[in-house]
Amino acid sequence: MAGPSSEVQKQWDIGHSIFLAGAAVRSLIKAGSEDDIQPQAILAMEGLGAGLLVYHERISDGVDALRGGENRKFIQLMITAGLTNGGAARLMRDSVPCVAAFVLAVACKTCFTDQETGSILYEMMNIRGVLRSVPVSRTQIERAVGALSGYGHKIVPNTLFNDVASTITQNMTHSLTIPTLLSRSGAKEIAEILSHVFESLEDTNIKKITLEGHQTGIWFVTMLILFGRGNYRLKITLKQRDDSAWYVQKWYSEKRISELVVGGSDNVPTKEHRSLPLSHVPVISAKTYIAAAYRLPEDAVEATGLIVAALVDIVFEHGIFWLSGNRYRIPFKDVCQMRFVGEYHTITNVFGWNLDFSKVNGRISHIVAAYTHGLSQTQAADNGMQSEILDGISSYKMMSKLLLQIEASFFKSRGYAMIQENNLEHMGIIDPIIHVAAEALYCSIIDPFPCDRPFRPLTVATLHSNAETIWRLLSGDSPLQQRGYENVNQIASFRSEAVKSICPGAQDFSSAVLAVVGNGQVAYATPLMEPSTERRYCAGISMIPGTLRWGKDDARYLRLREVEAAEFPSHRRFYEASQRIEVFQEETYLGLEALPNSEMVKVETLISPSENTLTLTTYMHSPSLQDAPVAVNWWRSIEALAFAELIRGHDMSAFGERELARSWKARGFFNNIAWLAVGGLTSGNAIKQHITMTDSNETYRFFEAGRLGGSRRLFVRQSAPLIQCLKVAIEYGEETGTWAIIA
């Protein structure tokens, strides 16, 4: 239809607003200022909500959600991440129309980003005449939705969506039109359909409302059940039409047949958006989405889940993160968060596969064994594989080849097919396996474990990115090391992809970005809460619903990024590394204990706000450093500690320790090792081996690791005597190595 019918263009009267009476106006302006929302955007949300028929249970849920929730303070930075109990949320929960609009926005989060949701609400405002009373821009509504999105994280109807998706796809198993049910309609088309429905529900003269269409059908059914629950006037028929349009028809009751009126049929075209996938679906619907998108039969879907589970196991056991052309490596499982370590084996069930692992564990173990057997064969034939990589074969092709090699190795070692009476290529499940496995692996560094995360659709770009993620992890500990990635920080790229996967709509989470907001969630580097030298902690990404706030007015921001701090010119000598360690007094062995810094050092962070971004730099200074504070860096510390060697335990007796120290002294090792004060200079000094004077102060240890770790091997003392750390460092580099011990 060319435009909305007159029936859905009722003018909302701004005079009915509860916010334009007395002190409420001041509250409106104050709330908008706190959340960086234009007051007219709140008024427009009220105007939209006034025309929505939302049942009292949904309103009650919305009011509770708008009361706020958890927030966390980055004490070092004076930044708060999370939800508050004030601002626009406090103001809107006192208005039923505002709560109704909020509930509608939250319901859209099942499949749409905040920006897309804001656009849908804006189009509905236009159709319903709200914009005539309250002129507001699309961007202002998108910003308002983004500010409020996090409050709704507990009431997003993910379970309902999954139930609808499962029921529909099970009853349309052989239909070639199923993928269209999970494709995206445009904001204007969605707004028109919803406006027709809500308008019709308000009109008691309409006895029946019928909808017929197909595109985005699963989401529409979810919305109509959510908002029309208990209303038997609604009926929806999922039927693909030649014009790809939705038809909304309203039926009136008339006792006199001669005056029977049947409502006109409103045609809402959606053809131009036919090829676009939804932004995301609830993670529990991943299995349903994969089955629908690839039109897979049940046996292929179950095989996909089984192979994904095995591939996750393979990466957990054999995956390697590497840095700077494999100069430093760490096992994948050493950076995984502890809940993932405990649950990775069954993680496919989070994605909708209800595998009975008591029955499939044996098959999964055999697949993992087939990988190990196939890897040894591949290593023997490495020259051929290496030439293929140099010829530019993509990670996707290499992953496809690897899966087929595992399948062949399985048959060779077991004597029967990995997939009963079938194979990966014939079933067409290689792409879904790669995609789902990578999406599952991204959960490994997220805290808390993202059971309610969204699931991205399988696109060509995402598939190739996910294939590269897995291939890098599996080729890092074999001769099949990737050429052309010598300067890639693999953990940094993995963290970036994880945030893209779990936080739709978030801006780039590169190494220098410490926190970002997307779809009502804040993803931030875990050490921002409290600096630590624990590897898992440093590599982790923490999530919390809400947004970033900073400053006296608690202004809202969408990103926290770090820039290199400028070095101050210095002529100081006090902090030069010149104090050699002494473990003997004449011939008496004194032992080696960590030393505290000679004076208190303060870590100071400078923040510069600009539009939606907070930019920070960090320095260490003390009375001796007032002329030249020392620049330090959060993300360099995170990177250094992720790849450092952490020293735990003690494997020497008192006698063995003393005798080893005597041999070191005889060989002159102690002449080349010096204490290094916090912020101490190392450049231009002949001594290349240092022990920091940090004495278990985690803040000092964290930032010194970043300052020293870029150009030398780093050893970090955890639950170990310092002499044990020295033993490990000396064995690493003898007298010529360049290293530092973070004591």
Side-chain angles (χ1 to χ4, degrees):
M1 87 188 155
S5 72
S6 60
E7 293 178 276
V8 293
Q9 295 191 51
K10 291 184 178 180
Q11 182 84 12
W12 173 68
D13 187 354
I14 195 173
H16 295 159
S17 173
I18 69 169
F19 300 128
L20 299 182
V25 176
R26 291 191 294 273
S27 298
L28 174 67
I29 295 172
K30 183 175 184 295
S33 175
E34 288 179 19
D35 285 321
D36 194 21
I37 301 174
Q38 293 295 328
Q40 58 264 40
I42 299 177
L43 290 174
M45 295 279 280
E46 182 190 25
L48 176 62
L52 301 179
L53 183 62
V54 181
Y55 289 95
H56 62 90
E57 294 93 343
R58 304 281 82 75
I59 294 295
S60 177
D61 292 342
V63 171
D64 290 341
L66 286 168
R67 295 188 188 281
E70 181 186 7
N71 60 69
R72 300 168 190 167
K73 294 186 181 295
F74 307 151
I75 303 299
Q76 190 74 42
L77 309 179
M78 300 306 291
I79 293 173
T80 300
L83 302 171
T84 69
N85 192 33
R90 180 190 63 242
L91 190 73
M92 290 179 66
R93 66 173 177 258
D94 293 331
S95 164
V96 172
C98 281
V99 175
F102 168 72
V103 170
L104 175 62
V106 170
C108 293
K109 284 171 66 71
T110 52
C111 298
F112 297 100
T113 65
D114 291 342
Q115 184 177 11
E116 291 168 337
T117 297
S119 190
I120 291 169
L121 266 57
Y122 176 83
E123 293 293 348
M124 290 183 70
M125 292 171 185
N126 182 41
I127 291 169
R128 299 182 69 85
V130 173
L131 300 184
R132 299 175 192 168
S133 299
V134 187
V136 65
S137 72
R138 187 186 303 270
T139 301
Q140 289 170 339
I141 299 301
E142 292 171 355
R143 182 181 289 270
V145 170
L148 298 166
S149 176
Y151 290 90
H153 73 286
K154 290 184 178 179
I155 61 171
V156 180
N158 289 335
T159 302
L160 176 60
F161 179 92
N162 184 59
D163 291 344
V164 170
S166 299
T167 301
I168 290 175
T169 53
Q170 286 171 10
N171 286 283
M172 302 178 67
T173 304
H174 302 295
S175 174
L176 298 179
T177 63
I178 288 179
T180 314
L181 291 169
L182 288 164
S183 63
R184 185 190 318 184
S185 298
K188 184 176 181 181
E189 288 76 18
I190 292 173
E192 290 192 36
I193 294 167
L194 293 180
S195 295
H196 279 300
V197 171
F198 281 114
E199 186 75 17
S200 300
L201 290 174
E202 288 183 87
D203 191 342
T204 57
N205 293 319
I206 298 177
K207 302 304 179 183
K208 186 178 180 181
I209 308 129
T210 59
L211 291 85
E212 183 178 291
H214 201 265
Q215 190 156 307
T216 325
I218 291 177
W219 182 81
F220 277 124
V221 172
T222 303
M223 294 292 284
L224 296 180
I225 292 175
L226 185 69
F227 289 99
R229 185 165 288 171
N231 193 316
Y232 298 101
R233 293 185 293 160
L234 275 171
K235 180 182 178 182
I236 184 167
T237 301
L238 297 176
K239 180 179 179 182
Q240 191 165 31
R241 308 178 66 96
D242 292 338
D243 57 3
S244 298
W246 276 90
Y247 285 81
V248 183
Q249 203 159 20
K250 307 154 192 178
W251 302 82
Y252 298 83
S253 175
E254 180 56 55
K255 294 181 180 179
R256 292 175 296 176
I257 300 300
S258 61
E259 296 182 13
L260 178 66
V261 177
V262 178
S265 177
D266 292 304
N267 175 3
V268 183
T270 57
K271 189 172 183 179
E272 60 181 307
H273 297 275
R274 192 168 186 171
S275 63
L276 296 177
L278 290 168
S279 166
H280 55 269
V281 297
V283 69
I284 193 65
S285 300
K287 175 185 174 182
T288 301
Y289 170 82
I290 290 296
Y294 278 78
R295 304 189 183 99
L296 298 178
E298 184 62 23
D299 62 337
V301 176
E302 293 306 314
T304 299
L306 181 72
I307 308 302
V308 166
L311 188 53
V312 170
D313 279 18
I314 288 169
V315 173
F316 184 82
E317 293 297 335
H318 299 278
I320 294 290
F321 280 120
W322 46 270
L323 173 69
S324 301
N326 300 314
R327 186 159 59 99
Y328 301 136
R329 304 183 190 184
I330 52 170
F332 170 82
K333 57 186 174 184
D334 283 5
V335 304
C336 296
Q337 302 304 292
M338 288 310 299
R339 184 169 174 185
F340 183 87
V341 172
E343 300 185 15
Y344 76 92
H345 187 64
T346 59
I347 194 172
T348 47
N349 287 352
V350 174
F351 288 74
W353 276 269
N354 295 315
L355 297 178
D356 185 346
F357 283 90
S358 64
K359 296 180 179 179
V360 300
N361 271 337
R363 179 64 64 91
I364 290 174
S365 298
H366 293 157
I367 295 172
V368 175
Y371 166 79
T372 306
H373 178 69
L375 180 63
S376 63
Q377 291 182 322
T378 301
Q379 290 176 339
D382 174 47
N383 291 336
M385 290 287 284
Q386 194 67 266
S387 64
E388 287 183 353
I389 296 172
L390 292 175
D391 287 341
I393 291 183
S394 68
S395 296
Y396 166 72
K397 290 185 178 179
M398 297 306 296
M399 273 306 304
S400 301
K401 186 172 183 177
L402 177 62
L403 288 171
L404 295 176
Q405 286 178 338
I406 292 173
E407 187 174 42
S409 177
F410 185 99
F411 181 80
K412 185 175 181 179
S413 60
R414 308 303 304 180
Y416 55 88
M418 188 168 73
I419 302 174
Q420 189 174 5
E421 298 179 359
N422 220 319
N423 62 72
L424 296 177
E425 280 192 303
H426 181 263
M427 298 182 87
I429 59 175
I430 289 179
D431 290 6
I433 288 170
I434 294 172
H435 180 62
V436 177
E439 296 295 300
L441 290 167
Y442 293 139
C443 297
S444 63
I445 60 169
I446 304 297
D447 181 47
F449 190 80
C451 294
D452 57 352
R453 54 160 286 182
F455 176 76
R456 294 188 292 180
L458 201 167
T459 64
V460 173
T462 304
L463 174 62
H464 281 262
S465 177
N466 284 351
E468 186 169 345
T469 291
I470 301 176
W471 177 249
R472 285 185 184 180
L473 287 167
L474 292 180
S475 64
D477 195 32
S478 76
L480 305 181
Q481 294 158 5
Q482 307 249 355
R483 303 289 179 87
Y485 294 121
E486 285 82 1
N487 297 316
V488 171
N489 177 344
Q490 195 184 359
I491 286 185
S493 60
F494 185 87
R495 293 164 79 242
S496 178
E497 287 299 322
V499 171
K500 290 179 188 176
S501 168
I502 293 172
C503 207
Q507 299 181 38
D508 179 44
F509 197 87
S510 60
S511 296
V513 175
L514 298 174
V516 69
V517 179
N519 232 40
Q521 295 281 335
V522 184
Y524 64 90
T526 302
L528 288 177
M529 284 294 295
E530 184 178 2
S532 170
T533 56
E534 282 290 342
R535 193 194 321 277
R536 295 186 200 277
Y537 185 89
C538 284
I541 301 292
S542 293
M543 304 283 292
I544 186 172
T547 189
L548 291 169
R549 296 180 182 276
W550 176 81
K552 294 181 179 178
D553 57 352
D554 260 353
R556 188 172 68 92
Y557 295 89
L558 300 181
R559 189 169 66 150
L560 172 66
R561 70 182 183 93
E562 185 174 34
V563 295
E564 293 281 4
E567 290 283 359
F568 287 84
S570 175
H571 301 287
R572 55 191 163 87
R573 295 177 176 272
F574 183 80
Y575 273 64
E576 290 184 0
S578 57
Q579 184 179 351
R580 288 180 172 82
I581 65 171
E582 298 290 344
V583 297
F584 286 92
Q585 186 174 13
E586 296 182 353
E587 294 302 316
T588 302
Y589 176 61
L590 303 175
L592 184 64
E593 299 293 333
L595 294 182
N597 204 51
S598 58
E599 62 180 2
M600 181 65 68
V601 175
K602 182 180 179 182
V603 177
E604 182 180 35
T605 300
L606 307 179
I607 292 181
S608 174
S610 176
E611 295 183 354
N612 296 327
T613 300
L614 294 171
T615 303
L616 68 84
T617 58
T618 308
Y619 295 93
M620 293 193 300
H621 63 84
S622 68
S624 298
L625 294 172
Q626 288 304 314
D627 67 318
V630 175
V632 291
N633 189 287
W634 289 83
W635 64 266
R636 287 194 190 281
S637 294
I638 290 170
E639 175 185 292
L641 289 164
F643 287 98
E645 184 166 346
L646 308 185
I647 313 299
R648 294 184 171 89
H650 186 206
D651 63 5
M652 293 184 289
S653 65
F655 174 79
E657 177 183 320
R658 183 172 59 252
E659 292 306 305
L660 186 60
R662 291 188 188 282
S663 71
W664 289 341
K665 179 183 178 184
R667 297 162 67 182
F669 284 1
F670 295 128
N671 297 329
N672 298 316
I673 306 172
W675 293 103
L676 183 66
V678 175
L681 298 175
T682 59
S683 59
N685 196 304
I687 295 179
K688 303 300 181 183
Q689 301 166 347
H690 300 96
I691 302 175
T692 62
M693 298 170 65
T694 44
D695 192 21
S696 301
N697 182 306
E698 279 295 88
T699 299
Y700 294 169
R701 281 156 51 90
F702 177 80
F703 286 110
E704 285 292 86
R707 200 173 65 86
L708 301 173
S711 58
R712 68 199 69 226
R713 186 62 171 143
L714 206 62
F715 302 92
V716 181
R717 181 170 70 94
Q718 299 296 90
S719 54
L722 187 54
I723 193 70
Q724 179 72 31
C725 301
L726 185 58
K727 176 177 179 286
V728 174
I730 288 177
E731 288 175 350
Y732 161 77
E734 293 291 327
E735 70 270 19
T736 59
T738 300
W739 48 258
I741 296 173
I742 306 298

